[in-house]
Amino acid sequence: MALKVELKPHERIIIGACVVTNTDQRARLLIDGDRIPILREKDILTPETADTPARLVYLAVQLMYLSPDPMAHHPTYFSLVREILSATPSAWPFIEGINNNILNGDLYHALKEAKKLIGHEEQLLESARQLPNSGAPDRQSA
């Protein structure tokens, strides 16, 4: 069964090892193939946009997904996982999901789990921003 993908004007998509860029009009593609990595532009991270620990994990999984030799990226991935777990133990359920998908060879679903990890990280950062600054003196009382 073919995958139907609709591209917005100038949207890019990775199909296998190729980057396809749409023209100035909407386009509909039917992609037929077995186990070909496909990533829409909105799901692609670059080293420049991978600016948090969870995004770096996503980037490592993305590289595995797109690579003909996913195991070449395992050392980087597992190093990042150790770092994120030491700083954020609450990330374990997401890491476990990513790991299980990697072990099963389902790197597309590992990417989806990595996206959930990014969401978890964003929630933690937002919670931290909303905490009162307990260590600093109150400006009004000074």
Side-chain angles (χ1 to χ4, degrees):
M1 182 174 179
L3 174 66
K4 296 175 189 173
V5 178
E6 191 163 319
L7 297 176
K8 298 174 191 168
H10 307 288
E11 184 177 9
R12 293 179 294 174
I13 186 170
I14 295 175
I15 303 173
C18 300
V19 176
V20 176
T21 304
N22 192 17
T23 61
D24 58 351
Q25 297 179 0
R26 292 185 81 79
R28 182 173 294 148
L29 304 174
L30 294 174
I31 303 166
D32 199 2
D34 188 33
R35 311 229 351 104
I36 297 171
I38 298 171
L39 274 181
R40 295 181 72 104
E41 184 171 8
K42 66 180 177 129
D43 297 321
I44 298 170
L45 275 186
T46 64
E48 296 78 29
T49 58
D51 54 0
T52 68
R55 288 175 185 266
L56 287 169
V57 167
Y58 182 97
L59 179 62
V61 175
Q62 175 184 291
L63 292 172
M64 282 186 240
Y65 176 62
L66 295 172
S67 175
D69 180 18
M71 290 184 72
H73 302 283
H74 283 193
T76 301
Y77 168 76
F78 286 110
S79 174
L80 291 166
V81 164
R82 279 190 297 277
E83 289 176 22
I84 202 168
L85 286 174
S86 68
T88 314
S90 64
W92 172 246
F94 303 99
I95 298 297
E96 183 178 34
I98 297 167
N99 287 346
N100 287 338
N101 283 303
I102 289 171
L103 289 171
N104 290 328
D106 190 351
L107 295 169
Y108 178 76
H109 283 101
L111 267 178
K112 290 179 91 168
E113 288 294 319
K115 201 159 235 184
K116 292 177 187 176
L117 176 65
I118 292 171
H120 175 69
E121 179 184 61
E122 288 172 353
Q123 286 179 339
L124 291 175
L125 291 171
E126 185 59 33
S127 295
R129 283 186 204 105
Q130 293 178 2
L131 288 175
N133 195 356
S134 59
D138 185 9
R139 289 184 185 193
Q140 291 178 349
S141 64

